[in-house]
Amino acid sequence: MTARKINRIAVFTSGGDAPGMNAAIRAAVRTATKNDLGVMGVRFGYQGMIDDDFIEMHHHSVSNILQHGGTILKSARSEDFRKAEGRKKAVENLRKHNIDAIVAIGGDGTFRGATVLHDEYGFPVVGVPGTIDNDLFGTDETIGYDTALNTAMEAIDKIRDTADAHDRLFLVEVMGREAGFIALETGIATGAELILLPEAVKKIDYIRDSLNKVFKVQRRSSLVIVAEGDETGGALSLAEKLKDDFGKYEMRVCVLGHLQRGGSPTSHDRVLAGRLGSAAVQALLNGHTSVMAGVLNHKNALTPMHKTWSEKKSIDFELLELAQVIR
Ligand code: ATP
């Protein structure tokens, strides 16, 4: 907790963009202005802080944005901010604009940066979890995750139609370099025959045997959902390993890629973003710093910033077992 009086805050989005970031910006700006705080937006995340890319924000600056994907404040990855010299420049600019505290909307990397900023300069900062990966400890869900799940599910339903028409094997890669949350839930939602995740490594012989059962015994189409960070090296690499195994049954690969990041946020993500963008500003007003505003068991919860990235959020292994039962 800090006793420092806050008159003016800065809001920014950083790292990979996620649908719902705009709704989170809107909630933070409007909660701040309702509490008579000045607000500045920083464009392009930490890089904008270093490059002095600040804009004044008011109630109407965030009108008509909550239904749009992307982020009106833009996002970036900044190598300069990883260096002490870059962070010194960022803090000089924050002070020049009379910023007393910041709201950081992003993923684990963004919160690592925020932790360093707080530890080095004591700068008050509260995080809002904005990433499609859902891999942050301290919140049941991150902003953008639900939209990404639905986007992937719709795409995979279409792939299933064509796979079924030809009795083909499709390897579909979804995002998730470190974590398999998207793969697990889209796999269940689309009835995938196999789900491959970094958290539950499967040997290539097991994968081959499972798919053989589907193809040679049941003779039907098959969908494998592969998280990009899976041990197999992703869908393209897995296809290479399996290329000689399925005879006349054709195999196809589809990497869903960045389409999972775009699109209008679902109602779930808009509400979550509204809740957490507002909770972050309230937390600053209540004297909290170096925490992330999240939702645990349907209730708002603050988690120390360093725990959000240093502790590992686990996938639900019961869901993984369920996937095997009902596939
Ligand atoms: P996503 O989960 O969607 O990828 P992210 O917030 O994890 O989003 P990153 O690119 O990992 O995205 O991090 C965003 C930025 O945070 C980095 O480009 C860098 O500027 C800053 N950052 C990350 N780690 C550190 C660190 N250890 N020290 C200082 N800054 C950091």
Side-chain angles (χ1 to χ4, degrees):
M1 302 270 272
T2 173
R4 202 182 314 194
K5 171 107 176 70
I6 290 172
N7 293 311
R8 196 175 216 210
I9 64 165
V11 181
F12 68 100
T13 49
S14 159
D17 62 303
M21 279 184 160
N22 281 326
I25 296 168
R26 175 178 178 270
V29 169
R30 292 202 166 162
T31 305
T33 54
K34 294 255 161 59
N35 283 281
D36 299 323
L37 299 179
V39 192
M40 294 202 90
V42 188
R43 286 162 31 92
F44 297 102
Y46 290 123
Q47 194 57 45
M49 226 177 255
I50 294 168
D51 296 342
D52 200 11
D53 198 349
F54 289 65
I55 49 168
E56 290 269 1
M57 297 189 87
H58 308 279
H59 184 94
H60 293 297
S61 319
V62 289
S63 297
N64 200 19
I65 63 167
L66 93 166
Q67 71 273 41
H68 299 301
T71 156
I72 58 161
L73 289 176
K74 309 285 183 178
S75 190
R77 306 197 196 261
S78 170
E79 281 312 307
D80 292 343
F81 194 79
R82 292 179 187 272
K83 299 175 197 133
E85 203 184 321
R87 293 192 293 276
K88 181 166 174 278
K89 184 78 193 144
V91 170
E92 279 169 14
N93 285 330
L94 288 166
R95 290 187 177 142
K96 183 174 93 180
H97 293 288
N98 297 316
I99 306 292
D100 304 306
I102 51 180
V103 172
I105 305 170
D108 63 322
T110 300
F111 295 164
R112 279 171 205 263
T115 308
V116 177
L117 192 69
H118 180 265
D119 291 353
E120 283 179 348
Y121 292 94
F123 213 93
V125 52
V126 173
V128 176
T131 167
I132 64 165
D133 294 335
N134 197 33
D135 58 349
L136 286 167
F137 182 86
T139 189
D140 292 334
E141 285 179 311
T142 57
I143 297 162
Y145 174 57
D146 185 64
T147 308
L149 282 183
N150 281 287
T151 303
M153 181 187 74
E154 280 175 28
I156 296 166
D157 283 348
K158 291 177 178 141
I159 292 169
R160 174 69 90 176
D161 289 345
T162 172
D164 213 44
H166 295 273
D167 272 353
R168 273 182 182 147
L169 164 61
F170 260 89
L171 310 181
V172 183
E173 183 177 300
V174 295
M175 280 188 166
R177 267 183 315 225
E178 315 283 340
F181 292 96
I182 296 179
L184 175 57
E185 291 210 36
T186 54
I188 292 174
T190 58
E193 275 68 24
L194 199 56
I195 302 170
L196 300 174
L197 322 165
E199 294 90 340
V201 174
K202 295 276 182 279
K203 295 223 160 32
I204 192 73
D205 290 341
Y206 171 90
I207 297 170
R208 204 174 274 128
D209 289 350
S210 304
L211 295 175
N212 263 324
K213 277 187 199 134
V214 178
F215 271 93
K216 296 204 172 134
V217 181
Q218 301 168 35
R219 290 172 181 264
R220 60 178 164 86
S221 70
S222 203
L223 272 181
V224 181
I225 307 298
V226 191
E228 63 180 320
D230 180 66
E231 179 88 354
T232 54
L236 285 163
S237 153
L238 179 61
E240 192 55 34
K241 290 176 184 141
L242 297 175
K243 69 177 189 295
D244 300 323
D245 293 324
F246 295 100
K248 68 188 174 74
Y249 296 102
E250 292 174 69
M251 186 164 51
R252 293 285 187 275
V253 174
C254 182
V255 178
L256 294 188
H258 283 80
L259 75 85
Q260 292 160 94
R261 284 193 194 279
S264 178
T266 58
S267 60
H268 186 85
D269 273 332
R270 296 182 198 191
V271 174
L272 184 66
R275 248 175 118 166
L276 300 186
S278 184
V281 176
Q282 285 296 347
L284 285 170
L285 287 169
N286 292 335
H288 294 279
T289 181
S290 202
V291 292
M292 179 192 77
V295 170
L296 292 172
N297 294 323
H298 307 288
K299 295 252 181 296
N300 287 6
L302 298 176
T303 298
M305 186 76 91
H306 67 93
K307 283 195 175 182
T308 66
W309 50 266
S310 62
E311 297 209 10
K312 175 103 177 136
K313 177 168 157 188
S314 174
I315 59 155
D316 184 344
F317 283 92
E318 283 181 17
L319 271 188
L320 192 55
E321 280 171 32
L322 171 75
Q324 283 162 10
V325 174
I326 63 176
R327 71 184 170 189

